[in-house]
Amino acid sequence: MRATIRSVLAGLAFAAMVAMPALADGLKDEIAPTGKLRVAIAISPAGGAFWSTKTGAGYAGVPVDLGKAMAAQLGVPVEYVVHQNSGQITDAAGENMWDVTWLPRDPERETKMLFGPIYEVADATYIVKPGSNVTNFATLDQPGVKVAAVNATTTMRGAIAHLKHAKVTGYQTYDEIFALLRSGEIDAFALSRDQLNKMAQKIPGTRVLDETFKKTVTAVAVPLGHSQALAFVTGFMNEAVTNGTLRKAYDDNGLMNTSIRTE
């Protein structure tokens, strides 16, 4: 009997050893089908925990650093797939153009991709143009007021739901809206407070409103149907919070004074 039990246990152990490489290969086939980890990023000078920037050496940003660390853990090269905004990343979710991304989450996007842990919670508000008489949401939400937002983003959808009279228009890039605000061609810009505070330093006379119209949560995401990939990126992010990888990514990208806010 004991010999039989030993035989069974030995057989189970052998089966587990054989299955482990198969599971690893299955994960790689799902999360890195091209042999590279394709990380979708959005480029802008806004900075923060979501946006990445173009540099002389390539790209920089929290998602850039997290993607590099994730690829290293998988044992594959990293490739950055550049977009102008999170809406474009969302639109490409079902087109096999990227494998993992970090971007703001909302119910509409949950129908197009699978989300893992949240790593940032940001307050969304508005910045108003130089010389504006707008001081709060009530004076902003008036007929004829032009509010800009980055097209097809969670912030744009939030602003449309929030404002009943002012007109919200989507633009493709942060840079385009920055220029319109500086020239006074728009009345306000909807974005996260930390990014608008940085913008206010670059455009004298602008004002960031004190009120908040929504909380924007940012999380890791993979395309629909990639359940193994979701399990892996969830574990990666949980470890990144506890082992300091996420903190280092923040610090290396100028966010030393920004707290990591998870849910």
Side-chain angles (χ1 to χ4, degrees):
M1 178 68 80
R2 289 181 181 175
T4 302
I5 293 173
R6 282 198 297 269
S7 262
V8 171
L9 291 175
L12 290 172
F14 177 76
M17 290 174 65
V18 171
M20 285 175 65
L23 284 173
D25 290 343
L27 171 62
K28 286 186 180 181
D29 288 344
E30 185 175 281
I31 198 171
T34 64
K36 299 179 181 180
L37 183 67
R38 298 171 298 173
V39 179
I41 59 174
I43 297 298
S44 164
F50 160 65
W51 293 100
S52 297
T53 58
K54 185 168 178 54
T55 69
Y59 304 101
V62 172
V64 171
D65 290 354
L66 292 176
K68 183 178 179 180
M70 184 178 287
Q73 190 166 322
L74 287 165
V76 298
V78 65
E79 177 183 335
Y80 299 107
V81 184
V82 177
H83 299 78
Q84 292 181 312
N85 57 59
S86 60
Q88 290 184 354
I89 295 175
T90 303
D91 290 342
E95 299 177 5
N96 191 30
M97 294 180 62
W98 55 263
D99 304 311
V100 66
T101 190
W102 286 264
L103 80 173
R105 188 189 83 187
D106 71 359
E108 182 170 326
R109 288 183 178 167
E110 288 173 351
T111 67
K112 299 179 180 180
M113 61 188 79
L114 300 174
F115 283 91
I118 293 166
Y119 69 98
E120 184 204 32
V121 183
D123 298 334
T125 187
Y126 307 94
I127 187 172
V128 297
K129 68 181 181 181
S132 174
N133 293 323
V134 171
T135 57
N136 54 35
F137 287 174
T139 52
L140 174 71
D141 193 15
Q142 299 296 325
V145 173
K146 300 176 183 178
V147 178
V150 180
N151 194 52
T153 59
T154 62
T155 304
M156 179 175 173
R157 286 189 283 274
I160 290 172
H162 174 242
L163 298 173
K164 308 305 179 187
H165 305 290
K167 182 180 179 182
V168 179
T169 301
Y171 297 86
Q172 286 299 324
T173 69
Y174 172 102
D175 287 342
E176 183 181 8
I177 301 173
F178 182 96
L180 291 171
L181 185 73
R182 182 169 55 187
S183 66
E185 294 178 63
I186 57 173
D187 297 298
F189 178 17
L191 201 64
S192 67
R193 184 178 302 280
D194 57 344
Q195 293 162 346
L196 294 181
N197 285 337
K198 292 178 182 178
M199 180 181 287
Q201 295 173 1
K202 298 177 181 179
I203 309 178
T206 54
R207 180 192 301 113
V208 178
L209 301 185
D210 293 333
E211 299 157 287
T212 296
F213 70 85
K214 79 181 294 287
K215 298 281 186 181
T216 300
V217 296
T218 305
V220 65
V222 297
L224 288 176
H226 290 198
S227 56
Q228 285 191 82
L230 178 63
F232 174 78
V233 302
T234 295
F236 173 88
M237 288 303 296
N238 288 335
E239 290 179 6
V241 173
T242 58
N243 67 17
T245 298
L246 183 56
R247 181 71 264 168
K248 186 176 187 303
Y250 270 51
D251 293 349
D252 289 349
N253 289 282
L255 302 175
M256 288 79 71
N257 298 320
T258 300
S259 298
I260 294 170
R261 299 171 64 184
T262 59
E263 284 190 353

